């Protein structure tokens, strides 16, 4: 794979029925009420309830999350087919976008989409609370968020069909590990580099799992250590902090 960052991104909008409002998407994307979707080099924004929400096009971490989807599609090939191949794959695709979206902030608050909600000065409402997933408060959405991989995996295995709720709920297992890395003394820009670079180390001959993501992140750490001529002790310290964060989920 060749690392690539889309340098031209179109933003389109939809009407309530999902039809194209901006003549850029050129298709009906379905019901995007209070949501957005990214594919084919384009971020498509759905309408919101203006009484309770702000336009998503003006919410920085939501846009960064959607932009990250375009990056993971380009580098790792994580399109909608990959996302829907398993609940765990869906969780991973969403987690990477949350991680890169949050780490794009100068000072990450580890709450995705707080600015999407009006009357939210305390930042209580959000799409996902990555720092403390089980405290997530999203109006009109009720789902369980996980910080334990085994618990999430059991929930996914018990579902007779693909579940977006479980996929989103499981995304916080991986994103919480990224948060923990920043609490383990790793600079947030360095953590972002590890996760971004890990996309090039994902083994796409194997099913997309969190275990494979962990291996890829460690390979990205080793790549960084090679590039910076880190000492053996320095390399070991980096890997130890990354692995200890994964161990906690």
């Amino acid at each position: 794979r060749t690392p690539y960052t889309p340098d031209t991104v179109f933003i389109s909008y939809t009407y309530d029925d999902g039809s194209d409002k901006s003549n850029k998407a050129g298709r009906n994307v379905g019901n995007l009420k209070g949501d957005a979707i990214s594919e084919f080099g384009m971020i498509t924004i759905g309408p919101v309830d203006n009484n309770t929400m702000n336009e998503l096009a003006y919410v920085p971490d939501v846009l960064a999350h959607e932009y990250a989807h375009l990056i993971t599609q380009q580098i790792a090939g994580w399109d909608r087919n990959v996302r829907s191949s398993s609940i765990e794959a869906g969780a991973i695709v969403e987690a990477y976008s949350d991680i890169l979206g949050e780490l794009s902030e100068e000072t990450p608050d580890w709450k995705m989409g707080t600015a999407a909600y009006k009357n939210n000065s305390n930042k209580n409402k959000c799409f996902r609370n990555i720092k403390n997933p089980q405290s997530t408060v999203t109006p009109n959405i009720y789902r369980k968020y996980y910080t334990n991989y085994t618990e999430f995996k059991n929930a996914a295995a018990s579902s007779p069909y693909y579940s977006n709720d479980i996929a989103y709920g499981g995304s916080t297992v991986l994103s919480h590990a990224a948060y923990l890395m920043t609490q383990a003394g790793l600079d947030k820009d360095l953590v972002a580099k590890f996760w971004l670079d890990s996309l090039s180390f994902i083994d796409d001959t194997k099913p997309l799992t969190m275990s494979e993501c962990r291996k890829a992140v460690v390979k990205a750490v080793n790549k960084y250590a090679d590039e910076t001529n880190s000492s053996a002790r320095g390399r070991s310290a980096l890997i130890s902090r990354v692995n200890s964060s994964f161990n906690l989920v």
Side-chain angles (χ1 to χ4, degrees):
R1 304 185 189 97
T2 301
Y4 168 81
T5 300
D7 54 9
T8 301
V9 177
F10 292 105
I11 296 179
S12 64
Y13 301 87
T14 68
Y15 291 104
D16 286 352
D17 65 358
S19 59
D20 189 2
K21 186 176 183 179
S22 54
N23 295 318
K24 289 186 180 294
R27 66 194 190 284
N28 189 306
V29 295
N31 182 11
L32 280 183
K33 187 80 171 181
D35 204 352
I37 189 173
S38 300
E39 56 186 355
F40 312 123
M42 183 179 301
I43 298 172
T44 304
I45 306 291
V48 298
D49 179 351
N50 291 313
N51 293 316
T52 59
M53 294 185 71
N54 298 307
E55 292 289 345
L56 296 181
Y58 301 101
V59 181
D61 59 356
V62 169
L63 281 183
H65 169 104
E66 295 301 330
Y67 183 70
H69 276 311
L70 298 180
I71 293 174
T72 59
Q73 288 165 24
Q74 190 67 39
I75 297 176
W78 290 354
D79 58 15
R80 62 170 63 192
N81 292 324
V82 172
R83 189 191 184 286
S84 62
S85 63
S86 72
I87 293 175
E88 184 164 357
I92 290 166
V93 171
E94 292 303 324
Y96 265 77
S97 281
D98 275 357
I99 292 165
L100 297 175
E102 280 302 302
L103 289 172
S104 71
E105 296 180 341
E106 184 174 352
T107 305
D109 61 5
W110 293 100
K111 289 183 176 182
M112 176 57 60
T114 56
Y117 293 99
K118 295 180 177 179
N119 303 314
N120 195 31
S121 59
N122 61 3
K123 295 187 176 183
N124 184 45
K125 292 175 284 189
C126 62
F127 293 140
R128 281 171 294 284
N129 184 334
I130 298 169
K131 179 179 180 180
N132 190 2
Q134 285 140 353
S135 295
T136 297
V137 176
T138 307
N140 303 316
I141 295 178
Y142 306 95
R143 63 169 60 107
K144 181 173 182 177
Y145 289 94
Y146 299 89
T147 54
N148 179 275
Y149 174 74
T150 300
E151 187 179 0
F152 156 65
K153 189 65 175 175
N154 288 339
S158 67
S159 177
Y161 51 84
Y162 185 90
S163 168
N164 258 326
D165 279 336
I166 299 176
Y168 278 113
S171 70
T172 51
V173 173
L174 208 57
S175 57
H176 188 67
Y179 160 74
L180 291 173
M181 291 176 195
T182 66
Q183 303 305 296
L186 295 176
D187 178 78
K188 67 104 174 174
D189 291 332
L190 188 56
V191 173
K193 176 176 175 57
F194 293 160
W195 285 90
L196 181 61
D197 287 353
S198 74
L199 291 166
S200 297
F201 291 110
I202 298 289
D203 186 349
D204 55 15
T205 67
K206 297 179 179 179
L208 183 57
T209 64
M210 293 188 185
S211 175
E212 289 301 315
C213 292
R214 176 175 180 163
K215 293 175 186 176
V217 172
V218 171
K219 288 179 180 179
V221 175
N222 277 311
K223 173 178 176 284
Y224 170 79
D226 290 340
E227 292 172 344
T228 56
N229 296 313
S230 296
S231 65
R233 178 177 293 180
R235 181 192 301 264
S236 178
L238 288 173
I239 292 175
S240 176
R241 290 177 182 181
V242 166
N243 276 329
S244 65
S245 298
F246 277 115
N247 289 342
L248 291 174
V249 299

